[in-house]
Amino acid sequence: MRHQPVLLVIAHGSRDPRHAATVHALVRRVRAQRPGLRVETGFLDFNIPSVNGVLESLAAEGVRDVVALPLLLTRAFHAKSDIPAVLRAAPRRLRIRQAEVLGPSPLLLSALERRLYEAGLTPADRSSTGVVLASAGSTDPEALAVIAEFAREWRHTGWRAVRPAFASASGPRTEDAVRELRELGCARVAVARYVLAPGFLPDRIARGAADADVLAAVLGPAPEVARVLLDRYDEASRPALAAVG
């Protein structure tokens, strides 16, 4: 009999209560899309349960296989350093596979567009609208390059222009990108928040979008985001399932 590995969603955590609430809403969406899959949530900081606590509880129950999925959009410091360090400290009886981060993915582009349309745009607006792809930012050049390439790909789907912006670590800021799109002659400017949950940096993006025509909500529990989580889980769990099949 095959036993599905447990999916452990690893979120950063935040003092802002909206963060944890949004993470839990996303996890509920994942469970709804995959009934029968056990999905747990652990936080690196600020919130409970901690990742360590969840792993210890799973080991105590006799669980053997776990897929640890970073709730991150790019491979930056947390995915490369923090999370692997936490997983190395897990109980030895656990077999843990770290899944890839969520981005980039065409499904995330669909989620971004869902939020833009929910904020008031329509498909007919694409050719005259400039979009700011606003993310948290990173000191990792690889992560910044991925965001920039993601913006270029999105531009090719019919928007007037797409510009990346970052809330921390590196420019341009959201307000800079909004101004650039105005100067480019876009009839309207929309800001798409390429972040998963509310918090300090998403709020900074919102303030930078003061002169935009449209500000989209964070990705949150969009069904496309839940689908990406399950895709990453499936990719990481295949070797484990093959080993016990």
Side-chain angles (χ1 to χ4, degrees):
M1 179 179 177
R2 292 185 174 188
H3 299 279
Q4 293 184 104
V6 171
L7 170 56
L8 172 58
V9 176
I10 300 179
H12 183 273
S14 171
R15 293 186 178 90
D16 189 323
R18 297 174 298 168
H19 174 89
T22 303
V23 170
H24 291 310
L26 175 58
V27 169
R28 287 194 296 272
R29 173 85 71 171
V30 171
R31 292 184 180 125
Q33 288 193 11
R34 185 73 62 86
L37 174 63
R38 181 172 178 181
V39 187
E40 301 289 344
T41 307
F43 295 90
L44 291 173
D45 206 353
F46 301 117
N47 302 106
I48 56 174
S50 68
V51 177
N52 283 330
V54 174
L55 291 171
E56 290 171 3
S57 295
L58 291 174
E61 289 179 32
V63 170
R64 294 299 302 276
D65 291 300
V66 176
V67 170
L69 194 156
L71 198 59
L72 301 168
L73 295 171
T74 58
R75 273 185 51 80
F77 181 77
H78 292 302
K80 294 178 180 179
S81 181
D82 283 357
I83 292 175
V86 171
L87 298 181
R88 284 194 297 269
R92 295 179 62 84
R93 67 173 288 118
L94 293 174
R95 293 190 292 255
I96 303 174
R97 295 178 181 273
Q98 181 175 330
E100 289 296 327
V101 297
L102 304 185
S105 166
L107 285 168
L108 294 178
L109 281 182
S110 296
L112 287 165
E113 295 193 346
R114 170 190 291 275
R115 295 301 189 225
L116 286 173
Y117 295 149
E118 290 170 350
L121 291 180
T122 70
D125 296 323
R126 297 172 74 96
S127 62
S128 60
T129 300
V131 178
V132 178
L133 178 64
S135 69
S138 174
T139 57
D140 188 315
E142 177 189 347
L144 297 179
V146 167
I147 297 295
E149 178 59 27
F150 202 45
R152 283 191 290 270
E153 291 178 4
W154 200 10
R155 163 67 182 83
H156 294 314
T157 65
W159 296 97
R160 171 72 173 80
V162 179
R163 295 290 187 271
F166 306 98
S168 68
S170 175
R173 298 284 195 231
T174 302
E175 52 268 36
D176 300 327
V178 169
R179 184 169 54 253
E180 180 183 349
L181 290 171
R182 290 280 187 219
E183 294 170 353
L184 188 63
C186 297
R188 62 185 60 78
V189 175
V191 174
R193 284 189 281 185
Y194 190 50
V195 291
L196 290 165
F200 176 76
L201 293 178
D203 285 351
R204 178 181 286 177
I205 291 171
R207 291 192 297 273
D211 292 331
D213 301 294
V214 173
L215 171 63
V218 300
L219 294 174
E224 297 88 351
V225 178
R227 182 68 253 170
V228 176
L229 263 72
L230 289 169
D231 287 348
R232 297 294 183 253
Y233 168 82
D234 290 340
E235 293 163 4
S237 63
R238 287 188 191 108
L241 290 173
V244 298

